[in-house]
C-alpha cells in the first residue's frame, strides 16, 4: 500500500471531504429533502471507506478519534433519516453498523467521547424492536444499558414503560404513547405501536363480544373521532347495523396473532368499563 505519510494525507483528505458531505446531509435533512439525502449518504459511505480508524479496522493514528467521531455521526444521521422516511430495513442496517461504534470503542485509550445522540438513538432502536414485536431482542439490547441509564434517560425510560404497558395489556397507556414522546423523532414509531395495539384490541373485541355500540368501540380503541372509527371498521370488514358493530362469530381472526389468551381476558375489564359508561 501507499507509504504511511501518503496514507495519512489520504485520510486527512477523506476526513475533510466527509465533514463537508455530512454538513450537506444535515442541511438536506433539515429541509426534508430525503431524496437528496439518499444520494449524499451513498457518497459519504464511499468516503468513509478511506478512513482506516473506522470499524472493523480500528487502525491507530493521530486522527483516529476524529475519524471515529465523524463515522459515528454520519451513521447516526443515517439512522435518524431512516426514521423520518419510515424505512425500517435501512434503520436496521445503519443501526447495526453504528452499534459497533457504541460498543467496540468503550475500552479505547484515549477514549472516544460518548455521543450526545447515543441514548436518543438506542431508545429509538428499542422502540423499533417493540413495534416489530421482537421482544427477546428488545430485552437483550436493553441489558447492554447500565441500570442508572435505564432509570434516568428519558428516552430509555419511555420505551421501558411502553414495553411494560404492552406486557400488562395496559392499552390505555400505549394509546396515549404518541402524546408523551421524549422527542418528535419517536412519534412515527409510537404511532405504529398504537396501530398494532388497536389491531390487538380489535381482534380481542371480535373474540369477546357479539357486538359493540359505536360509542363503546370508539372509547375502547381511543379513536378521537367517529370518522376514524368508521374507517377502521370498514378496513376490518366489520358489519355495522344502526349504531352497533356486529362481530360475526365464525371470523376467528387470523389477522392478528394474539400475544396470548391474557389479552382476551384483559378485554373483559373493558367490558366492565363499558358498563360504567352506558
Amino acid at each position: 500500500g501507499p507509504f504511511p505519510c501518503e496514507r495519512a494525507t489520504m485520510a486527512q483528505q477523506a476526513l475533510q471531504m466527509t465533514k463537508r458531505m455530512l454538513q450537506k446531509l444535515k442541511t438536506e435533512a433539515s429541509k426534508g429533502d430525503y431524496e437528496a439525502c439518499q444520494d449524499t449518504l451513498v457518497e459519504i459511505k464511499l468516503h468513509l471507506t478511506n478512513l482506516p480508524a473506522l470499524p472493523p479496522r480500528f487502525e491507530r493514528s493521530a486522527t483516529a478519534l476524529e475519524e471515529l467521531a465523524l463515522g459515528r455521526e454520519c451513521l447516526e444521521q443515517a439512522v435518524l433519516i431512516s426514521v423520518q422516511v419510515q424505512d425500517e430495513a435501512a434503520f436496521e442496517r445503519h443501526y447495526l453498523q453504528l452499534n459497533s461504534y457504541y460498543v467496540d470503542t468503550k475500552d479505547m485509550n484515549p477514549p472516544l467521547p460518548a455521543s450526545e445522540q447515543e441514548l436518543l438513538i438506542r431508545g429509538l432502536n428499542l422502540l423499533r424492536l417493540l413495534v416489530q414485536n421482537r421482544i427477546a431482542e428488545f430485552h437483550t439490547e436493553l441489558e447492554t444499558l447500565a441500570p442508572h441509564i435505564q432509570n434516568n434517560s428519558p428516552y430509555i425510560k419511555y420505551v421501558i414503560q411502553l414495553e411494560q404497558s404492552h406486557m400488562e395489556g395496559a392499552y390505555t397507556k400505549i394509546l396515549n404513547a404518541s402524546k408523551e414522546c421524549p422527542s418528535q423523532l419517536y412519534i412515527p414509531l409510537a404511532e405504529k405501536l398504537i396501530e398494532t395495539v388497536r389491531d390487538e384490541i380489535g381482534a380481542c373485541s371480535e373474540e369477546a363480544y357479539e357486538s359493540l355500540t359505536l360509542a363503546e368501540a370508539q372509547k375502547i380503541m381511543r379513536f378521537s373521532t367517529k370518522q376514524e372509527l368508521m374507517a377502521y371498521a370498514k378496513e376490518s370488514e366489520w358489519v355495522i347495523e344502526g349504531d352497533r358493530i356486529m362481530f360475526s362469530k365464525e371470523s376467528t381472526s387470523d389477522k392478528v396473532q394474539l400475544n396470548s389468551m391474557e389479552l382476551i381476558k384483559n378485554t373483559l375489564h373493558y367490558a366492565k368499563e363499558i358498563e360504567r359508561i352506558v
Side-chain angles (χ1 to χ4, degrees), residues 55-106:
R57 288 191 283 172
F58 288 116
E59 281 181 28
R60 314 308 283 277
S61 72
T63 54
L65 289 180
E66 201 186 344
E67 290 175 37
L68 284 164
L70 182 62
R72 180 177 68 186
E73 196 183 345
C74 289
L75 285 168
E76 286 176 336
Q77 282 300 315
V79 166
L80 296 177
I81 287 166
S82 66
V83 172
Q84 300 283 13
V85 297
Q86 301 195 27
D87 181 343
E88 286 180 22
F91 184 119
E92 181 145 7
R93 246 188 351 266
H94 292 131
Y95 184 80
L96 280 173
Q97 291 175 286
L98 177 58
N99 202 35
S100 177
Y101 288 81
Y102 292 155
V103 176
D104 302 332
T105 57
K106 289 274 182 274

Side-chain angles (χ1 to χ4, degrees), residues 34-262:
Y34 296 116
E35 269 182 48
C37 286
Q38 301 306 336
D39 296 339
T40 307
L41 268 173
V42 171
E43 281 192 65
I44 286 177
K45 284 177 191 164
L46 286 172
H47 291 302
L48 290 179
T49 59
N50 293 322
L51 299 179
L54 304 193
R57 288 191 283 172
F58 288 116
E59 281 181 28
R60 314 308 283 277
S61 72
T63 54
L65 289 180
E66 201 186 344
E67 290 175 37
L68 284 164
L70 182 62
R72 180 177 68 186
E73 196 183 345
C74 289
L75 285 168
E76 286 176 336
Q77 282 300 315
V79 166
L80 296 177
I81 287 166
S82 66
V83 172
Q84 300 283 13
V85 297
Q86 301 195 27
D87 181 343
E88 286 180 22
F91 184 119
E92 181 145 7
R93 246 188 351 266
H94 292 131
Y95 184 80
L96 280 173
Q97 291 175 286
L98 177 58
N99 202 35
S100 177
Y101 288 81
Y102 292 155
V103 176
D104 302 332
T105 57
K106 289 274 182 274
D107 306 321
M108 282 182 62
N109 191 12
L112 175 66
S115 158
E116 286 175 13
Q117 310 232 59
E118 178 174 349
L119 293 176
L120 168 102
I121 287 178
R122 292 185 73 158
L124 277 169
N125 184 54
L126 285 165
L127 184 52
R128 172 186 71 94
L129 292 171
L130 186 56
V131 167
Q132 294 176 341
N133 210 7
R134 292 158 66 174
I135 304 303
E137 287 169 80
F138 174 94
H139 286 288
T140 308
E141 181 72 17
L142 189 57
E143 279 157 26
T144 64
L145 291 164
H148 72 267
I149 293 177
Q150 296 187 26
N151 299 330
N152 296 313
S153 160
Y155 302 116
I156 308 300
K157 265 186 1 193
Y158 169 77
V159 185
I160 290 175
Q161 284 162 353
L162 276 185
E163 197 266 343
Q164 284 167 348
S165 302
H166 197 235
M167 286 298 294
E168 293 158 9
Y171 286 143
T172 316
K173 286 183 187 162
I174 292 179
L175 294 174
N176 292 325
S178 60
K179 296 187 186 75
E180 289 153 16
C181 284
S183 152
Q184 290 290 313
L185 289 162
Y186 280 57
I187 292 175
L189 280 165
E191 286 180 343
K192 274 202 158 148
L193 188 63
I194 291 172
E195 274 173 40
T196 305
V197 163
R198 279 216 174 105
D199 289 344
E200 287 177 354
I201 295 175
C204 286
S205 301
E206 290 178 13
E207 305 290 342
Y209 306 116
E210 286 174 16
S211 70
L212 282 174
T213 69
L214 294 174
E216 290 163 351
Q218 187 179 329
K219 184 172 195 305
I220 288 183
M221 301 179 87
R222 292 290 184 292
F223 281 114
S224 26
T225 65
K226 187 177 163 184
Q227 282 74 16
E228 284 175 26
L229 168 68
M230 297 302 274
Y232 186 89
K234 190 177 174 192
E235 223 174 277
S236 306
E237 298 180 354
W238 289 340
V239 176
I240 296 175
E241 292 176 9
D243 74 334
R244 292 193 89 79
I245 297 171
M246 312 302 289
F247 300 117
S248 61
K249 271 301 145 200
E250 61 275 9
S251 78
T252 306
S253 102
D254 300 322
K255 285 197 297 290
V256 177
Q257 259 188 324
L258 294 175
N259 278 355
S260 64
M261 289 305 284
E262 277 309 292

